[in-house]
Amino acid sequence: MQIEILDRGEAEFHFIDPDDFREFVRDKKTRDWKDKLMEEKEAVKKFVKDGDYLAYDFSSLTRGPQSLIREIIRQRKKKLWICAKFTLLESALLAGGGCVEKIDVGFLGFGEYIARKVENGEVKVYDWSNGSITYRLLAGAMGIPFIPARDLLGTDTFKKSGALAIRDPFTNKPVALLPALNPDVALIHVQEADIYGNARVYGPTVATLETAMASKRVIISAERIVETIEFRKEPNMTIIPYYLVDAVVHAPFGAYPGGTQGYYEMDAEHYLKVSSIKTEEEMQKYLEEYVYSVDNHEEFLEKRVGMKKLKELVRKAEILEGFR
Amino acid sequence: MKEFTDTEFMICQAARLLEDNKTVFVGWGMPQVVALLAERLYTPNITQIFEFGAVGPQSRLPFLRGTMGGPQNTYRSLQWCSMALAFSYAQAGYIDYGMLGAAQIDRYGNINSTMIGEDYERPKKRFPGSGGGNEVASYCWKTIIVMSHEKRRFVERCDFITSPGHIIDGKSREELGLPRNTGPWRVITSKAMFDFDEKTKELRLIGVLKGFTVEEVVEDMGFKPKVADEVVELDPPTEEELRVLREEIDPYGLIIKKGRVIKLD
């Protein structure tokens, strides 16, 4: 039986044959219970390459992997294709650092700077939606080449994506096929992890597990490093099992200037500072002050943020019911 | 004399439309304030669902814009889940209402939140894109669109159709493969309320805020909409609605202070 193709989005898309992904997982992803704890610098150096497809979880407002993003900028990675599923600050900063070439857009926030980069054609965008990108990651996590869904049908978003519409052989109705997404590297910030990479989050998970499972390399940054027994006490809270993970970075305040549920609130003033950046000059000045001129995350916190501010953000967070 | 912003009117009007004991998929920003007002005054048992994976939170007040999936907006949730699951609830038919904003809207309720201009590669203005808007508009049984009433926002065809309305380039939702009996249900603007003609699926003016005329409303649109035989007068915000909005939900005026001030005798 022939399946009838009804429509085809025109965009290129990142894609790996599921069998190639499986073999990568078999050969390159260790199941050893080995200590994967390392510094940001080492993790990014080891696992992020120029030209990689980079995914990250949640947003810069909440539980985003900001210390890892800053390290990528500091190491001046180039030609990244990023998955801006649900993102605000990261894409602007990565573009400012000259790290980004292409963006798969679900929601591409923050401000005039990044909008202008797109309007000028300096950064190329491919329009998807938050839902379709998440389903693509789910397909990538399932080891299948595509997932059928009813997102995007008929819209210009569909035309500018890499989706396909076919006549579904079961219902005889049109359905969209979303190609699986298997990123080269995923950055995920969590509240708690052990040294092997078992990890859990408190709060909504967005696409934590899907992103980790679908990605060739996974770097976890964690507010707290805990003993493995903590996971065995509450196994239903484990979002990521250790064998998905390549590196674990201990990063208190790793989501700053965003917040992390139960730990600290976002720094609204710092946000305003970044979101109001309009010109290249302002962006470079910002990156110089907050990224290039400090050696690492600790130095950033000590010299650019300061204990007073951090204490204030912790106090604002109020450990609310349900977060522990 | 009563004084309020047209944004406050829009929020109150939208909040009055929701039903109790239903589920609502809530978009970012103004829709959140609508849901909070409805929950506080009219629909205490409504279940809000957010794309980042909070199901049924009893959001803390006052509303703070920046926290997204943080404690403020996920407080006392019934469930924390993934985005794939949140959208699947909608795709499988569990979500009654969707609530969205829009930069542009056309005659059939198609929404643009992606870009303005004719050249996609070099847009005049780039917006954030769909976010979860496409899924909310595709899957919820009844979608409510809340937007300010400006001529440039009502266009014959959107520069870019981000999220589907009733008819796209001559094709119905069902022909395109979208779930049947779904789609935009009401459009609430800062001056008026629209539904969609049952047969032609065109935007139809059904209500106008007290103090405005049908002509004034239609003049402020980029196309001439259908007008219902009987256009009702929409009540301005009540004292109670304004008090709850201003004192409890948005005392910092993050959302409600935007827009034009309207004075009514």
Side-chain angles (χ1 to χ4, degrees), chain B residues 72-86:
Chain B
Q72 200 78 20
N73 298 326
T74 64
Y75 187 55
R76 289 184 175 165
S77 292
L78 292 169
Q79 183 188 24
W80 285 328
C81 71
S82 68
M83 189 180 265
L85 187 56

Side-chain angles (χ1 to χ4, degrees), chain A residues 117-256:
Chain A
K117 287 260 170 195
V118 176
E119 288 154 14
N120 294 342
E122 286 174 70
V123 170
K124 185 157 175 53
V125 293
Y126 304 101
D127 270 289
W128 298 83
S129 60
N130 283 351
S132 57
I133 291 184
T134 310
Y135 286 138
R136 289 184 66 198
L137 288 165
L138 180 61
M142 290 169 75
I144 53 177
F146 63 83
I147 193 162
R150 298 167 90 177
D151 307 41
L152 309 184
L153 288 165
T155 61
D156 292 322
T157 317
F158 175 92
K159 287 181 201 158
K160 298 298 177 187
S161 76
L164 198 71
I166 63 155
R167 192 167 293 287
D168 159 27
F170 291 99
T171 63
N172 214 29
K173 295 173 184 178
V175 69
L177 302 187
L178 308 171
L181 179 55
N182 291 102
D184 292 306
V185 50
L187 314 177
I188 296 171
H189 187 65
V190 301
Q191 276 95 344
E192 292 169 346
D194 68 8
I195 59 171
Y196 309 107
N198 293 301
R200 62 185 171 193
V201 304
Y202 296 86
T205 56
V206 188
T208 312
L209 174 59
E210 295 89 327
T211 308
M213 243 174 115
S215 299
K216 284 181 161 178
R217 297 297 188 190
V218 177
I219 304 174
I220 297 286
S221 59
E223 292 292 330
R224 277 206 321 146
I225 302 297
V226 298
E227 295 293 329
T228 307
I229 189 67
E230 295 301 320
F231 295 91
R232 297 192 186 279
K233 284 181 196 164
E234 270 184 294
N236 65 328
M237 282 300 295
T238 309
I239 304 289
I240 299 175
Y242 76 99
Y243 50 84
L244 306 181
V245 176
D246 295 283
V248 179
V249 176
H250 182 212
F253 299 100
Y256 179 91

Side-chain angles (χ1 to χ4, degrees), chain B residues 179-228:
Chain B
R180 69 176 169 240
N181 298 325
T182 57
W185 176 65
R186 292 285 186 275
V187 177
I188 309 296
T189 73
S190 38
K191 287 180 185 168
M193 175 156 73
F194 301 83
D195 70 356
F196 290 84
D197 184 277
E198 245 175 69
K199 282 207 183 89
T200 66
K201 302 292 181 191
E202 284 169 277
L203 203 68
R204 185 175 69 163
L205 183 64
I206 56 169
V208 167
L209 170 60
K210 186 179 177 197
F212 289 95
T213 65
V214 169
E215 291 70 33
E216 277 173 310
V217 165
V218 171
E219 206 161 280
D220 250 358
M221 296 172 67
F223 59 85
K224 230 177 137 50
K226 285 200 163 213
V227 178

Side-chain angles (χ1 to χ4, degrees), chain B:
Chain B
M1 197 177 62
K2 189 177 254 182
E3 223 178 283
F4 53 92
T5 66
D6 55 5
T7 306
E8 284 174 325
F9 161 70
M10 194 169 10
I11 291 166
C12 297
Q13 185 57 47
R16 295 171 199 158
L17 289 181
L18 291 170
E19 290 172 278
D20 206 12
N21 294 301
K22 298 282 184 191
T23 46
V24 57
F25 213 118
V26 184
W28 185 240
M30 204 194 308
Q32 287 181 285
V33 174
V34 173
L36 289 172
L37 181 65
E39 188 180 47
R40 177 72 181 72
L41 287 183
Y42 304 121
T43 58
N45 302 303
I46 202 157
T47 300
Q48 300 179 42
I49 290 154
F50 291 89
E51 59 178 303
F52 48 73
V55 174
Q58 296 177 327
S59 305
R60 299 248 300 180
L61 300 181
F63 171 76
L64 288 175
R65 195 181 189 113
T67 46
M68 191 96 75
Q72 200 78 20
N73 298 326
T74 64
Y75 187 55
R76 289 184 175 165
S77 292
L78 292 169
Q79 183 188 24
W80 285 328
C81 71
S82 68
M83 189 180 265
L85 187 56
F87 285 131
S88 296
Y89 285 139
Q91 191 166 202
Y94 289 99
I95 318 291
D96 300 302
Y97 290 95
M99 210 185 313
L100 290 175
Q104 272 185 339
I105 191 167
D106 73 15
R107 187 180 289 283
Y108 298 106
N110 298 304
I111 294 174
N112 178 9
S113 47
T114 302
M115 48 85 69
I116 299 290
E118 278 161 27
D119 183 357
Y120 173 75
E121 304 288 331
R122 297 281 186 280
K124 267 196 205 138
K125 187 150 185 56
R126 175 72 209 193
F127 300 127
S130 163
N134 179 278
E135 284 76 20
V136 172
S138 295
Y139 297 143
C140 296
W141 289 109
K142 293 173 172 176
T143 303
I144 300 169
I145 298 150
V146 190
M147 58 186 279
S148 32
H149 197 105
E150 294 169 49
K151 193 165 194 155
R152 64 192 173 117
R153 290 175 182 269
F154 288 92
V155 293
E156 202 52 69
R157 192 201 188 278
C158 293
D159 291 4
F160 189 100
I161 296 178
T162 311
S163 306
H166 284 292
I167 297 194
I168 304 174
D169 298 335
K171 283 196 174 157
S172 71
R173 287 172 74 90
E174 225 178 311
E175 281 174 278
L176 291 163
L178 293 162
R180 69 176 169 240
N181 298 325
T182 57
W185 176 65
R186 292 285 186 275
V187 177
I188 309 296
T189 73
S190 38
K191 287 180 185 168
M193 175 156 73
F194 301 83
D195 70 356
F196 290 84
D197 184 277
E198 245 175 69
K199 282 207 183 89
T200 66
K201 302 292 181 191
E202 284 169 277
L203 203 68
R204 185 175 69 163
L205 183 64
I206 56 169
V208 167
L209 170 60
K210 186 179 177 197
F212 289 95
T213 65
V214 169
E215 291 70 33
E216 277 173 310
V217 165
V218 171
E219 206 161 280
D220 250 358
M221 296 172 67
F223 59 85
K224 230 177 137 50
K226 285 200 163 213
V227 178
D229 296 338
E230 201 182 325
V231 176
V232 300
E233 186 179 88
L234 303 173
D235 292 330
T238 65
E239 294 299 331
E240 177 73 347
E241 284 170 337
L242 287 176
R243 189 191 63 74
V244 170
L245 268 182
R246 291 171 185 175
E247 289 174 18
E248 295 177 23
I249 295 177
D250 190 13
Y252 307 121
L254 300 176
I255 300 282
I256 60 174
K257 274 198 188 142
K258 287 183 183 160
R260 226 160 44 91
V261 175
I262 294 176
K263 293 177 187 177
L264 283 183
D265 294 327

Side-chain angles (χ1 to χ4, degrees), chain A residues 34-47 68 194-195 218-222 225 245-251 298:
Chain A
K34 74 171 190 185
D35 181 346
K36 295 168 190 156
L37 207 55
M38 57 185 89
E39 297 294 316
E40 280 98 2
K41 198 167 277 186
E42 188 188 351
V44 168
K45 202 166 176 199
K46 252 186 173 158
F47 296 115
L68 293 170
D194 68 8
I195 59 171
V218 177
I219 304 174
I220 297 286
S221 59
I225 302 297
V245 176
D246 295 283
V248 179
V249 176
H250 182 212
E298 284 72 29

